[in-house]
């Protein structure tokens, strides 16, 4: 198994998508899941934005461990991630991620949170650093049925 080749394939898949499901845990240990728009960097870090008063942001404030899934509908292709979330406070990085997310989100007809936040405060940006990542790809183009491959750690 060539990890660099697989990482390249995973990144190509992740960069072709913009929506993930993020799972968080509330202060009373209730699991909660929500869709997010995201961008990913070459180190497999995920970046997303959310309204400051959302349940996921409130949950992250008390427990920074999350799970993410990016997948397809028909033939299973999934990336499953566990990681730790941190807010992005650096102004330069915040603007860079904002523009990347805006560009990625504008590829479809739906204009997510970015449009709703124009001209009003209340959005926060976050980075998810993966501590575990599993790749599963059952497309015919992948030349064989694969068992899930753990890429991180």
């Amino acid at each position: 198994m060539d990890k660099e080749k697989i990482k390249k394939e995973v990144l190509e898949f992740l960069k072709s998508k913009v929506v993930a499901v993020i799972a968080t845990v509330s202060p009373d240990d209730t699991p909660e899941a929500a869709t997010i728009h995201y961008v990913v960097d070459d180190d497999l870090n995920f970046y997303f934005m959310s309204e400051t008063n959302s349940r996921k942001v409130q949950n992250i404030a008390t427990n920074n461990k999350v799970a993410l899934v990016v997948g397809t509908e028909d033939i299973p292709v999934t990336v499953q991630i566990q990681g730790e979330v941190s807010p992005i406070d650096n102004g330069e990085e915040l603007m860079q991620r904002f523009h990347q997310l805006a560009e990625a989100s504008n590829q479809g007809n739906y204009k997510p949170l970015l449009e709703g936040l124009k001209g009003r405060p209340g959005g926060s940006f976050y980075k998810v650093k993966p501590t575990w990542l599993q790749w599963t790809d059952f497309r015919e183009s992948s030349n064989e049925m694969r068992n899930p491959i753990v890429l991180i750690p």
Side-chain angles (χ1 to χ4, degrees):
M1 169 177 60
D2 180 357
K3 277 200 167 189
E4 283 306 311
K5 180 181 175 191
I6 293 168
K7 180 180 176 182
K8 183 179 177 185
E9 195 174 337
V10 169
L11 276 169
E12 185 178 295
F13 173 77
L14 290 172
K15 289 181 177 185
S16 74
K17 307 293 178 199
V18 295
V19 176
V21 174
I22 186 169
T24 60
V25 178
S26 73
D28 67 354
D29 291 328
T30 303
E32 297 174 354
T35 56
I36 58 169
H37 279 75
Y38 73 90
V39 291
V40 65
D41 67 20
D42 291 340
D43 293 321
L44 298 168
N45 295 306
F46 282 70
Y47 301 89
F48 70 96
M49 182 179 180
S50 184
E51 290 190 61
T52 307
N53 64 352
S54 70
R55 292 190 322 168
K56 67 181 140 314
V57 169
Q58 293 169 15
N59 294 345
I60 288 167
T62 59
N63 182 347
N64 75 331
K65 292 180 175 43
V66 299
L68 292 164
V69 175
V70 178
T72 57
E73 290 180 25
D74 297 328
I75 300 171
V77 180
T78 64
V79 177
Q80 299 171 23
I81 299 107
Q82 293 173 354
E84 296 181 356
V85 177
S86 58
I88 299 175
D89 297 324
N90 176 297
E92 187 175 316
E93 182 179 14
L94 193 143
M95 289 309 297
Q96 176 188 5
R97 302 304 174 195
F98 177 86
H99 291 297
Q100 288 173 335
L101 192 57
E103 183 178 322
S105 297
N106 283 332
Q107 293 174 9
N109 294 326
Y110 175 65
K111 306 299 182 242
L113 184 60
L114 298 173
E115 288 293 318
L117 288 177
K118 281 186 179 174
R120 66 183 177 100
S124 300
F125 275 87
Y126 295 89
K127 173 183 179 178
V128 178
K129 181 173 180 55
T131 56
W132 180 85
L133 184 146
Q134 180 174 282
W135 167 245
T136 307
D137 183 351
F138 291 112
R139 294 174 292 189
E140 288 180 35
S141 64
S142 63
N143 296 327
E144 63 184 42
M145 295 289 278
R146 292 188 185 166
N147 290 322
I149 297 169
V150 176
L151 195 58
I152 298 173

